[in-house]
Amino acid sequence: MIVNGVGVCAIIDNEPRPTLSVNDVTVTEGDNGSKDAVFTVSLSGPYNGQAGFSFRLSDGTAHAEEDFQTVFGGSGVPAGQTQTTISVPIIGGTITEPNETFFSIFPIQQT
């Protein structure tokens, strides 16, 4: 008598998931309007699924809504690709001030 005629094989993927990195960006502010700071988010190698992540910005010497527009949320690098971009509008101004910085923070949530 055969009780269970089905065998299961689990194939375990032993390659590590790619890691995400983001580049540094320098933008000249301008006197009015806005200009985008475009961050490139890169994977260390191809991945067969979407590498999803969330991100937010953090003030440094530059301040949200005064020097740059707040951008946050989730995005991803599509399956088979290794890069995507995130744009942050930089607010122009005529006040003389030193160079300023803010930070992009990417707590990785690969899916």
Side-chain angles (χ1 to χ4, degrees):
M1 174 175 179
I2 299 175
V3 176
N4 184 352
V6 177
V8 175
C9 173
I11 300 173
I12 298 175
D13 186 9
N14 64 344
E15 288 80 33
R17 284 186 171 195
T19 57
L20 286 171
S21 62
V22 61
N23 68 318
D24 292 334
V25 177
T26 300
V27 175
T28 302
E29 179 181 75
D31 291 339
N32 56 35
S34 67
K35 187 181 293 189
D36 284 349
V38 180
F39 292 92
T40 300
V41 181
S42 301
L43 281 177
S44 59
Y47 185 59
N48 66 352
Q50 176 163 313
F53 58 87
S54 61
F55 66 93
R56 66 181 176 86
L57 305 177
S58 178
D59 288 0
T61 54
H63 301 284
E65 303 310 323
E66 184 179 312
D67 298 305
F68 62 93
Q69 292 179 11
T70 301
V71 177
F72 61 91
S75 189
V77 179
Q81 296 184 21
T82 57
Q83 291 185 334
T84 192
T85 59
I86 303 294
S87 295
V88 178
I90 305 302
I91 301 168
T94 56
I95 297 171
T96 301
E97 54 192 355
N99 293 338
E100 299 173 300
T101 60
F102 66 92
F103 304 96
S104 58
I105 300 173
F106 289 77
I108 299 167
Q109 301 173 357
Q110 290 182 328
T111 55

